[in-house]
């Protein structure tokens, strides 16, 4: 919600095992958020000491000391992620991938843009646009961005996105 300064980046990068970048202009709900997360995951994967990747918000606070967290995850091969089954998704969620979004990385909290995007969805419905899924996936789950996963799972995500252009392009046009 605020601009990250050069001083902020420098301060963060002085914290052991912390790497910060300021490359993307991220808007709420914007695709640059996905780009930034994937770039940070790539940075983590480049570190040979990383065995588990945790995606956290700036408001998350670890409840255990780092050493205890390390001990818990060092030999863990599970992915920790909250999700909702496709049959339980409300229409307010399915609309996000069934219809194209033309305002990536714009401030959709702006009432005018929000109204305009909703009008484009109505127009798409009128002309019969209806996407079943994202890329080759037709069974879409809703999950949180914030997840903990083994390095191998994170590497698979990076490899998949890099080699499946249809998926990436469909994801880009989601709302």
């Amino acid at each position: 919600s605020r601009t990250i300064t050069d001083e902020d980046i420098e301060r963060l990068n002085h914290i052991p095992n912390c790497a910060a970048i300021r490359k993307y202009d991220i808007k709420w709900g914007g695709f640059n958020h996905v780009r930034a997360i994937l770039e940070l995951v790539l940075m983590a994967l480049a570190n040979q000491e990383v065995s588990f990747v945790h995606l956290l918000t700036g408001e998350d606070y670890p409840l255990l000391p780092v050493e205890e967290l390390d001990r818990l995850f060092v030999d863990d091969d599970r992915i920790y992620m909250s999700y909702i089954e496709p049959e339980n998704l409300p229409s307010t969620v399915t609309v996000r991938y069934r219809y194209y979004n033309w305002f990536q990385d714009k401030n959709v909290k702006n009432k005018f843009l929000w109204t305009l995007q909703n009008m484009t969805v109505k127009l798409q419905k009128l002309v019969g646009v209806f996407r079943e899924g994202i890329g080759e996936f037709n069974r879409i789950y809703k999950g949180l961005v914030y997840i903990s996963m083994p390095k191998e799972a994170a590497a698979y995500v990076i490899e998949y996105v890099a080699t499946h252009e249809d998926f990436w392009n469909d994801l880009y046009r989601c709302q």
Side-chain angles (χ1 to χ4, degrees):
S1 63
R2 73 173 183 86
T3 301
I4 304 293
T5 66
D6 290 337
E7 293 78 30
D8 293 330
I9 297 296
E10 189 175 326
R11 196 168 53 249
L12 288 167
N13 284 327
H14 276 86
I15 298 172
N17 298 315
C18 182
I21 60 172
R22 185 182 57 180
K23 183 175 177 178
Y24 300 96
D25 181 19
I26 298 174
K27 305 281 191 254
W28 182 89
F31 198 71
N32 274 345
H33 193 197
V34 174
R35 286 185 178 109
I37 288 170
L38 291 176
E39 184 155 344
L40 289 167
V41 168
L42 257 174
M43 289 170 64
L45 293 174
N47 182 337
Q48 295 302 313
E49 292 182 24
V50 170
S51 62
F52 222 84
V53 175
H54 303 280
L55 300 177
L56 306 170
T57 71
E59 296 178 5
D60 288 329
Y61 188 79
L63 298 176
L64 297 170
V66 172
E67 298 77 24
E68 181 70 13
L69 288 170
D70 282 346
R71 189 185 63 70
L72 287 171
F73 289 105
V74 71
D75 291 321
D76 198 341
D77 63 353
R78 292 174 288 183
I79 297 172
Y80 295 88
M81 176 179 168
S82 297
Y83 65 90
I84 301 172
E85 299 274 351
E87 43 280 345
N88 296 326
L89 294 177
S91 62
T92 54
V93 171
T94 59
V95 72
R96 294 180 190 171
Y97 66 85
R98 291 199 169 137
Y99 303 100
Y100 294 92
N101 177 11
W102 306 112
F103 303 102
Q104 288 80 6
D105 301 312
K106 304 291 186 245
N107 182 5
V108 293
K109 288 190 173 186
N110 172 301
K111 282 186 176 188
F112 175 74
L113 281 180
W114 186 259
T115 301
L116 196 55
Q117 176 58 25
N118 286 333
M119 288 172 55
T120 68
V121 168
K122 288 178 184 174
L123 180 61
Q124 290 175 70
K125 287 178 181 180
L126 249 157
V127 298
V129 171
F130 185 85
R131 300 187 308 166
E132 288 291 335
I134 302 170
E136 65 182 308
F137 299 101
N138 290 328
R139 189 162 161 77
I140 306 299
Y141 294 75
K142 181 189 183 304
L144 295 177
V145 171
Y146 308 103
I147 180 175
S148 292
M149 61 187 145
K151 182 178 189 171
E152 296 78 15
Y156 175 80
V157 169
I158 296 296
E159 185 273 332
Y160 186 89
V161 167
T163 59
H164 291 80
E165 190 175 342
D166 289 348
F167 174 81
W168 184 253
N169 291 338
D170 280 356
L171 189 62
Y172 176 73
R173 287 292 175 201
C174 288
Q175 299 185 46

